[in-house]
Amino acid sequence: MERKYDENDLRCNCNQTCHDTVYMPSVTQSEWPALGYETTLYNRVQERNYAIRSRGTDTLTAAQWIKRNVAKLDVYFMEFNYQYIKQSPATSVMDLLSNIGGQLGLWIGVSVVTLMEMMQLIGAVIGAMIGKSHRPQRTAPSSDREKNIPDAFN
């Protein structure tokens, strides 16, 4: 696997990783402990650690032993923010079926309403044509009485 990676021969159609943790390191250093604190620190370490108490006396002073054997490490987060990326499909199968059903219902409903309106229009046109051909012809009024005088005054 490493050989294929080195030769850039990996053929993988992988999605994004599920969990990816990235830390941006920032390293600083300083002299520790302070000059006057080395002996105090050595005595505290010696009180708590049997291996140091039993080592006896050697050629190293307390300050030299602390410099060679003790380190202080502080870890801090540069930022407390994190980025959460979730990959999910744009639409699920259920959403797709719902959308198709909704569109079909809309267009079928529109076409039925349009069909009914067309039938109503055709009926109105045919009714107007039939009514015009069967309507009696109006003739001009024959007397003055029929022209202007309503029946209520006769």
Side-chain angles (χ1 to χ4, degrees), residues 39-58:
T39 306
T40 306
L41 180 62
Y42 178 77
N43 291 335
R44 285 187 181 176
V45 170
Q46 190 178 21
E47 287 172 6
R48 294 183 182 157
N49 193 331
Y50 176 76
I52 296 174
R53 280 192 306 249
S54 64
R55 76 176 171 93
T57 58
D58 57 8

Side-chain angles (χ1 to χ4, degrees), residues 5-151:
Y5 179 78
D6 291 338
E7 294 171 2
N8 201 13
D9 192 30
L10 287 176
R11 292 186 181 96
C12 179
N13 296 329
C14 300
N15 292 331
Q16 291 181 352
T17 59
C18 293
H19 301 283
D20 191 16
T21 305
V22 177
Y23 296 105
M24 302 303 291
S26 175
V27 179
T28 60
Q29 65 183 25
S30 66
E31 187 74 24
W32 184 83
L35 294 175
Y37 187 67
E38 293 164 340
T39 306
T40 306
L41 180 62
Y42 178 77
N43 291 335
R44 285 187 181 176
V45 170
Q46 190 178 21
E47 287 172 6
R48 294 183 182 157
N49 193 331
Y50 176 76
I52 296 174
R53 280 192 306 249
S54 64
R55 76 176 171 93
T57 58
D58 57 8
T59 59
L60 295 177
T61 65
Q64 291 171 336
W65 189 89
I66 289 291
K67 293 275 188 211
R68 287 188 184 178
N69 295 301
V70 177
K72 180 180 180 183
L73 177 66
D74 289 328
V75 178
Y76 299 103
F77 290 106
M78 292 185 72
E79 295 181 5
F80 289 110
N81 300 329
Y82 67 93
Q83 185 177 24
Y84 179 74
I85 299 172
K86 181 179 179 183
Q87 184 176 358
S88 61
T91 58
S92 66
V93 174
M94 198 62 136
D95 289 338
L96 178 64
L97 292 176
S98 297
N99 289 338
I100 290 172
Q103 290 295 319
L104 282 175
L106 176 69
W107 289 108
I108 288 173
V110 168
S111 63
V112 168
V113 169
T114 303
L115 181 65
M116 296 303 283
E117 287 178 348
M118 291 296 285
M119 287 174 45
Q120 183 183 10
L121 177 65
I122 291 170
V125 169
I126 291 174
M129 291 173 61
I130 291 173
K132 189 175 187 179
S133 64
H134 290 304
R135 202 177 316 147
Q137 295 292 330
R138 293 185 84 181
T139 57
S142 58
S143 68
D144 288 337
R145 182 175 182 204
E146 292 179 1
K147 286 184 187 173
N148 294 326
I149 302 171
D151 288 336

